[in-house]
Amino acid sequence: MAQPDPAPSADAIHLNAISKRYGRTLALDAVSFNVRDQELFALLGPNGAGKTTLLHILCTILRPDSGTALIDGIDVAKNPLEARQRLGIVFQEPSLDDRLTVRENLELHGLVYGVPRKLRRQRIEEMLALVELSDWASKPVRALSSGMKRRLEIARALIHDSRILLLDEPTVGLDAQTRDRIWAYLRRLRAERDITVLVTTHYIEEVEDCDRVCIIDSGKVLALDTPEALKRAHGQSLVRLTPTAEADLEAITARYQDRLTARKGNELTLVSDDAFITAFLAEFGTRITALKVEVPSLETVFLTLTGRELRDRAAGAREQTLAFGKRGGEHTR
């Protein structure tokens, strides 16, 4: 696993041994990593892995029990207001005022952050154009779809002088087409605004184009590298097969118990290699109805590191993201 760089001042985000406990539950266990300047960085892990807790520490909602978190070289615990000025934040929970129009939501955010009037108006128009909401500027937020609201939240996060954009599960609840569109906006933002983007997700397919991916589970960093490097280091080839009958399923399961990674209904998933395919087909080729070989992927990386598939686990009680506004005397998050 890649280690944090020795000179945190060169990074947009620097975490050193961050730990956080809720009662007896250790949500974060000595988490350390860096996010480089202008990087598109993903935190990948199931619900309950500690991703949201980590983002709440970075945006000063929570204080870590131990460790240090730096935003653009600023200690978030010692100088929270200064750190916030550099952040644009999009939480999981909606935070727009649906009684106001699209433009009024952006205007309010600019006022809260003290953006001068002329610059504020300029940025509002720029952001509306970027997320393709210019034609909706005078519409009340309640008239927008879920995907449009998420795009508006991204635009709002960049009205002030934010250099670092934090997004917590920005595509949860959105259809596949809208999810793809949100990620297209993020890549375009990084290119056009030279900003750093840190995004959390439990959708493996979303992080293939990120610069680096940090896999986190149960509050621990399991691996951190580029998607291709992770696949080379930890990926596996898999075979998904469907036995012809129950007796065949039991026979294959017993024969290859050491390779079995998943059993869903009458489908088995086995760890594969070239030699295995030849041997398996010679022994069981007439006792299966379907066979599919999958090359190493980020899904198999997660499987290798955790011994299970990445799945959507039940989330715990929601953390109160409104605390961000309350602590700083702000209306918006």
Side-chain angles (χ1 to χ4, degrees), residues 29-61:
D29 186 5
V31 171
S32 297
F33 63 79
N34 296 345
V35 180
R36 300 162 185 159
D37 193 38
Q38 299 180 25
E39 187 171 31
L40 178 54
F41 186 99
L43 274 176
L44 176 67
N47 288 341
K51 305 185 303 295
T52 295
T53 295
L54 188 56
L55 255 66
H56 283 185
I57 288 172
L58 287 174
C59 64
T60 76
I61 289 176

Side-chain angles (χ1 to χ4, degrees), residues 69-289:
L70 304 180
I71 293 291
D72 205 18
I74 300 165
D75 191 312
V76 299
K78 295 178 180 178
N79 299 291
L81 292 178
E82 189 176 355
R84 287 187 199 182
Q85 289 294 329
R86 286 157 171 78
L87 292 176
I89 305 167
V90 178
F91 292 107
Q92 284 189 45
E93 296 300 318
S95 60
L96 299 167
D97 191 329
D98 63 5
R99 298 165 298 180
L100 301 179
T101 67
V102 169
R103 189 186 303 280
E104 286 169 343
N105 269 272
L106 299 180
E107 183 78 19
L108 177 59
H109 187 81
L111 285 169
V112 167
Y113 276 87
V115 181
R117 183 176 183 275
K118 184 177 180 180
L119 180 58
R120 186 169 70 245
R121 298 295 169 82
Q122 175 186 330
R123 285 187 179 163
I124 287 173
E125 297 308 317
E126 290 174 353
M127 289 299 99
L128 286 173
L130 179 65
V131 299
E132 299 179 26
L133 288 176
S134 297
D135 293 341
W136 292 79
S138 300
K139 301 289 185 181
V141 167
R142 66 171 65 95
L144 273 57
S145 67
S146 297
M148 294 167 74
K149 289 178 181 178
R150 185 58 78 190
R151 284 149 52 191
L152 177 56
E153 289 185 301
I154 293 172
R156 187 186 61 180
L158 296 169
I159 292 297
H160 63 289
D161 286 317
S162 51
R163 295 188 60 253
I164 301 166
L165 184 61
L166 306 180
L167 303 101
D168 191 12
E169 300 276 6
T171 61
V172 165
L174 302 179
D175 61 77
Q177 183 178 8
T178 304
R179 283 165 50 191
D180 288 344
R181 199 172 185 184
I182 293 296
W183 276 93
Y185 287 128
L186 294 182
R187 287 188 286 269
R188 182 177 170 188
L189 276 171
R190 198 270 300 265
E192 293 185 2
R193 290 281 301 267
D194 294 330
I195 62 173
T196 302
V197 179
L198 188 157
V199 58
T200 76
T201 183
H202 62 268
Y203 296 126
I204 287 181
E205 65 274 15
E206 291 188 340
V207 304
E208 289 283 354
D209 294 331
C210 290
D211 296 317
R212 287 190 300 157
V213 177
C214 176
I215 297 177
I216 183 171
D217 192 25
S218 300
K220 292 179 177 289
V221 172
L222 304 183
L224 193 166
D225 216 320
T226 65
E228 290 306 314
L230 288 172
K231 293 174 194 177
R232 288 195 300 270
H234 305 287
Q236 302 178 99
S237 292
L238 298 177
V239 170
R240 299 189 190 274
L241 58 92
T242 305
T244 302
E246 183 67 23
D248 301 319
L249 185 148
E250 297 301 333
I252 295 171
T253 299
R255 173 69 175 83
Y256 293 108
Q257 186 64 46
D258 60 331
R259 289 180 176 268
L260 184 65
T261 65
R263 176 176 176 174
K264 295 180 179 178
N266 63 344
E267 181 186 80
L268 301 176
T269 302
L270 306 177
V271 175
S272 174
D273 52 51
D274 293 339
F276 167 75
I277 291 291
T278 302
F280 176 83
L281 290 177
E283 186 175 2
F284 289 102
T286 61
R287 301 175 67 179
I288 59 174
T289 60

